[in-house]
Amino acid sequence: MAPLHQKRILLTGGGGMVGRNLLEAAGDLRIDHPTSRQLDLTNADDVRVYIQDTKPDLIIHAAGKVGGIQANMADPVGFLDKNLAIGRNLIMGAYEANVPELLNLASTCIYPRGAENPLCEDMVLTGELEPTNEGYAIAKIAALRLCEYIRKQRPELQYKTLIPCNLYGPYDNFHPEKSHLLPAIIRKVHDAKNNGVNEVEIWGDGTARREFMYAGDLALAILKASEEMETLPDLMNTGLGFDHSINDYYQTVANVLDWGGTFTHDLSKPVGMKQKLCSTERADSWGWRASTSLADGIAKTYTFFLENHTS
């Protein structure tokens, strides 16, 4: 295969957190990243024509309808239908156009809700999914299985899937009600510090554990995979292999932001699963590991927050 700088690359989801971090890390690589207005991924004919016209050597699929628990529960039809259509249209469009390489991004929500930690790639479809985001998970499983089936029928096509753990970083959503855990903590502690508030509330007892990786590390993993598609496993977790408690995340944010207040716990609030941790055995064997520490990642994310979300 050609060196990465010689490949024509098509990126979907270029406006999202993963896409924007990838574009920043990619330097002068030739990456076509059409907006949803330029290319409607839910329209199979549009996707087929676009791929045949642009003739990419590699497609990186990072687009999708995403949201938290409340959004998934409110619109399971949309999360299943839209993500299923996007995945199918893109992968089959690439297949029919003989695109040699496709890197599909999945999510750890594809794993069974009752699976033992750490979560290994061969656990897919071995148990019931988490009901709150089942529609999204089914769509992601369909896409990764489609890539695997294509590999079985045409092994020369490098259609493979990365499964990132939870992410945070620049271009994240810092909305007070709609953000995920780490940007929400950054916003809460920042507001407390700015407003002279000495207490911040944590839902539950804070002992639940979560694995959050800096989005810039995933960007580097994608670039390495794009360069080495032939050696990349067909399905590979992309995470840290270790986790932190909710309390740890709050305290690290407090340390980075130099806020000296105290935390209280609301034990009446839901906390979700006690742990969700990825196995990194395949990634380790392949030669990749995330390099950004939690404190460094939070510091970089806070800098982005200050530059883009405060007046």
Side-chain angles (χ1 to χ4, degrees):
M1 292 293 178
L4 191 54
H5 69 273
Q6 294 180 8
K7 291 180 181 177
R8 295 185 302 272
I9 303 170
L10 170 61
L11 167 67
T12 68
M17 176 170 66
V18 172
R20 294 175 81 166
N21 277 277
L22 176 60
L23 290 169
E24 283 195 1
D28 58 359
L29 291 178
R30 291 188 297 170
I31 300 182
D32 178 23
H33 50 101
T35 65
S36 57
R37 288 184 179 180
Q38 294 170 313
L39 175 60
D40 179 4
L41 294 172
T42 64
N43 186 307
D45 290 334
D46 287 359
V47 172
R48 185 182 304 111
V49 169
Y50 191 94
I51 291 173
Q52 289 173 350
D53 285 350
T54 58
K55 296 180 172 56
D57 301 304
L58 164 68
I59 295 176
I60 300 171
H61 179 33
K65 179 179 172 69
V66 297
I69 291 174
Q70 287 181 322
N72 273 269
M73 292 177 69
D75 186 23
V77 172
F79 277 89
L80 174 56
D81 178 62
K82 188 166 187 177
N83 287 301
L84 202 57
I86 288 173
R88 187 261 173 207
N89 292 344
L90 195 74
I91 295 166
M92 290 308 298
Y95 177 69
E96 290 163 10
N98 287 311
V99 175
E101 298 178 334
L102 185 145
L103 185 61
N104 173 52
L105 296 188
S107 158
T108 53
C109 72
I110 65 172
Y111 288 116
R113 64 184 301 198
E116 289 188 13
N117 287 274
L119 301 167
C120 300
E121 293 87 347
D122 56 10
M123 291 177 177
V124 176
L125 290 180
T126 60
E128 292 182 3
L129 299 166
E130 171 59 41
T132 54
N133 57 13
E134 184 183 81
Y136 179 77
I138 288 172
K140 288 295 183 182
I141 290 170
L144 75 86
R145 278 291 196 251
L146 185 53
C147 289
E148 289 180 329
Y149 295 161
I150 287 171
R151 291 276 295 145
K152 287 178 182 176
Q153 286 187 213
R154 294 185 59 190
E156 75 277 9
L157 295 180
Q158 305 295 328
Y159 285 30
K160 301 182 177 182
T161 300
L162 296 181
I163 310 169
C165 67
N166 295 316
L167 301 170
Y168 73 98
Y171 306 105
D172 211 334
N173 180 0
F174 295 90
H175 188 282
E177 280 87 43
K178 297 179 182 177
S179 56
H180 292 119
L181 181 70
L182 260 168
I185 296 173
I186 289 172
R187 165 74 76 172
K188 285 166 70 174
V189 174
H190 169 82
D191 288 349
K193 180 180 177 180
N194 271 23
N195 297 324
V197 176
N198 292 318
E199 281 190 359
V200 165
E201 182 183 88
I202 299 174
W203 281 20
D205 63 8
T207 60
R209 304 187 70 82
R210 293 291 181 270
E211 180 182 18
F212 271 87
M213 181 172 70
Y214 184 64
D217 285 341
L218 177 62
L220 295 178
I222 291 171
L223 290 174
K224 176 177 165 64
S226 300
E227 189 86 70
E228 305 172 29
M229 287 292 287
E230 290 187 359
T231 64
L232 179 71
D234 282 21
L235 193 60
M236 189 182 85
N237 286 334
T238 317
L240 303 176
F242 59 88
D243 53 16
H244 300 279
S245 72
I246 303 299
N247 287 330
D248 288 340
Y249 284 117
Y250 272 91
Q251 190 57 58
T252 304
V253 171
N255 294 344
V256 171
L257 273 60
D258 195 25
W259 177 73
T262 58
F263 297 110
T264 60
H265 294 85
D266 185 346
L267 302 181
S268 70
K269 291 293 196 298
V271 296
M273 296 169 64
K274 291 297 288 182
Q275 188 180 36
K276 190 176 177 185
L277 177 66
C278 285
S279 165
T280 58
E281 194 171 320
R282 288 188 188 178
D284 289 341
S285 297
W286 182 62
W288 178 83
R289 180 164 289 210
S291 59
T292 305
S293 71
L294 180 60
D296 286 349
I298 288 173
K300 292 176 183 177
T301 305
Y302 187 52
T303 297
F304 175 86
F305 171 80
L306 290 175
E307 292 173 351
N308 294 275
H309 292 275
T310 56
S311 53

